[in-house]
């Protein structure tokens, strides 16, 4: 029987002598929730966790695109699409995109994630040439004014290659390197960091009755398997970020189960990226139909993720999130 261990994350100076660090950072834990398929979860002391499963929970995370993972980081979203669910194509054009990038940089963003293909539920695939035309010039323009790390949000190797040549630093694949078989070899050849996300189905169909045996463990197993495959292809684990893919082939209850169990993903030994900003379940639970008005709910869920040790928040509302983060850190002490 396979056991999974979710650290019960704590923080603050009242740290017992038997506490161990979470991912080499300031948070810590003394107990874990032991999970297994078909069994009732149990809370056990950290001493009972096998060494080979404890080590990835406590080991420090390597920097990502030059960013140390010893404190929370903000990834700002820059959609260069005309049909984004969240901003209605507001930055669909080089000048508008660059202006928004400048604003995010001024607000303290740590990384900018640029995407030229909407992956909202029901979205259609964008031709490669069009996706490159939407993203590469914007990346080059940002790189000309700033050294801020840039991520390219794409499923396609040619788009990623053009983005890397324009100055991008990380490849963020919402398909978990299952869409284009040429993408992983490209990233290996360039030794570029990647974000490995879970999704079920294609954007066109992913919200049509998604099903799981156990969503938390199923997503964990998928990410673990993809990490092994990327390592076998030659990409070091230190270059991999994981993302449970909130909203990608998940119901509201699936999303909530993943959010409650986020700390489990530290067992993969990689930084965790959480992308919940303005998503549909936030609108449904928060009773806000307008995507652009969901900053409060997005920040609330993001801070809950940080309390479980998430290292990177992917957000639309950078200035508001940065302010909330400063207060959250100050209040924790």
């Amino acid at each position: 029987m396979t056991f999974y261990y979710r650290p019960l994350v704590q923080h603050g100076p009242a740290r017992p002598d038997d506490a161990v660090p979470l991912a080499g950072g300031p948070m810590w834990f003394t107990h874990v929730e032991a999970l297994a398929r078909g069994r009732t979860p149990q809370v056990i002391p950290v001493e009972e966790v096998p060494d080979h499963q404890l080590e990835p929970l406590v080991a420090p995370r390597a920097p990502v695109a030059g960013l140390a993972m010893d404190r929370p980081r903000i990834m700002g979203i820059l959609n260069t699409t005309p049909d984004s669910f969240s901003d209605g194509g507001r930055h669909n054009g080089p000048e508008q995109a660059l202006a928004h990038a400048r604003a995010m940089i001024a607000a303290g963003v740590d990384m900018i994630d640029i995407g030229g293909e909407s992956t909202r539920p029901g979205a259609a695939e964008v031709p490669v040439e069009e996706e490159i035309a939407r993203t590469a010039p914007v990346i080059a323009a940002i790189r000309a004014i700033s050294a801020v790390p840039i991520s390219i949000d794409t499923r396609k190797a040619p788009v990623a290659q053009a983005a890397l040549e324009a100055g991008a630093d990380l490849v963020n694949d919402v398909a978990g390197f299952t869409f284009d078989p040429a993408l992983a070899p490209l990233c290996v050849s360039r030794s570029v960091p990647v974000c490995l996300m879970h999704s079920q189905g294609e954007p066109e169909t992913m919200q049509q009755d998604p099903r799981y045996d156990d969503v938390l463990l199923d997503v964990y197993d998928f990410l673990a398997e993809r990490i092994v495959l990327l390592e076998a292809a030659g990409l070091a684990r230190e270059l991999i970020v994981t993302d449970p893919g909130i909203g990608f082939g998940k119901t509201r209850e699936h999303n909530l189960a993943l959010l409650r169990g986020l700390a489990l993903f530290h067992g993969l030994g990689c930084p965790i990226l959480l992308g919940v900003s303005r998503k549909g379940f936030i609108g449904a639970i928060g009773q806000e139909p307008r995507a652009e008005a969901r900053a409060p709910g997005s920040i609330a869920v993001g801070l809950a993720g940080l309390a479980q040790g998430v290292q990177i928040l992917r957000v639309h509302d950078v200035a508001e999130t940065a302010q909330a983060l400063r207060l959250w850190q100050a209040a924790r002490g």
Side-chain angles (χ1 to χ4, degrees):
M1 178 173 290
T2 301
F3 282 91
Y4 306 75
Y5 299 98
R6 182 178 72 87
L8 303 181
V9 184
Q10 306 289 325
H11 61 80
R15 178 171 174 165
D17 292 339
D18 59 347
V20 295
L22 178 70
M27 293 183 168
W28 46 268
F29 60 102
T30 59
H31 289 72
V32 302
E33 182 182 39
L35 304 169
R37 295 179 187 273
R39 290 180 55 126
T40 301
Q42 292 183 318
V43 174
I44 62 172
V46 69
E47 295 83 20
E48 296 183 19
V49 179
D51 288 345
H52 72 281
Q53 289 179 281
L54 179 62
E55 194 278 333
L57 293 174
V58 303
R61 303 300 184 245
V64 174
L67 298 173
M69 293 289 102
D70 57 354
R71 62 182 179 86
R73 297 292 186 171
I74 297 175
M75 172 189 277
I77 299 168
L78 180 50
N79 291 317
T80 60
T81 59
D83 56 347
S84 169
F85 86 95
S86 58
D87 51 28
R90 191 174 302 166
H91 311 122
N92 180 32
E95 292 185 5
Q96 300 96 315
L98 183 58
H100 188 54
R102 288 182 184 273
M104 288 195 288
I105 292 167
V109 77
D110 293 299
M111 181 183 295
I112 297 177
D113 188 44
I114 298 176
E117 178 183 60
S118 176
T119 50
R120 76 190 191 287
E125 184 178 345
V126 173
V128 166
E129 296 78 10
E130 185 174 349
E131 192 175 343
I132 292 173
R134 292 176 179 180
T135 54
V138 174
I139 292 169
I142 296 172
R143 183 54 68 236
I145 65 163
S146 174
V148 64
I150 297 172
S151 166
I152 176 65
D153 181 355
T154 187
R155 304 177 288 169
K156 303 164 189 169
V159 179
Q161 181 171 342
L164 294 171
E165 290 171 356
D169 306 282
L170 180 146
V171 174
N172 179 15
D173 181 8
V174 300
F177 292 85
T178 63
F179 183 82
D180 185 346
L183 184 55
L186 170 67
C187 295
V188 170
S189 69
R190 302 289 290 264
S191 294
V192 64
V194 305
C195 182
L196 174 66
M197 197 192 85
H198 173 275
S199 63
Q200 187 182 92
E202 299 295 322
E204 295 92 330
T205 60
M206 65 185 180
Q207 289 306 108
Q208 297 176 9
D209 193 28
R211 295 172 181 265
Y212 298 87
D213 293 329
D214 182 313
V215 66
L216 184 61
L217 302 187
D218 289 354
V219 171
Y220 184 97
D221 284 348
F222 170 88
L223 293 173
E225 177 185 341
R226 301 309 299 175
I227 289 171
V228 169
L229 291 174
L230 286 174
E231 285 186 305
L235 193 71
R237 188 173 293 238
E238 290 75 18
L239 293 174
I240 301 173
V241 175
T242 60
D243 178 350
I246 302 296
F248 282 78
K250 282 100 175 170
T251 65
R252 182 194 306 187
E253 288 308 313
H254 292 151
N255 290 328
L256 292 175
L258 288 169
L259 290 170
R260 295 179 187 124
L262 274 175
L264 178 73
F265 296 101
H266 291 293
L268 297 169
C270 303
I272 302 169
L273 182 149
L274 179 63
V276 296
S277 186
R278 301 185 180 180
K279 290 191 173 177
F281 82 99
I282 291 178
I285 296 172
Q287 301 178 19
E288 178 49 76
R290 300 166 299 163
E292 69 276 10
R294 295 175 188 163
S298 301
I299 291 170
V301 178
L303 294 182
L306 294 183
Q308 293 198 56
V310 164
Q311 287 92 354
I312 305 171
L313 293 181
R314 183 180 182 273
V315 307
H316 295 88
D317 304 290
V318 171
E320 295 85 347
T321 303
Q323 180 185 121
L325 179 55
R326 287 191 287 270
L327 270 295
W328 181 80
Q329 289 175 311
R332 288 193 318 132

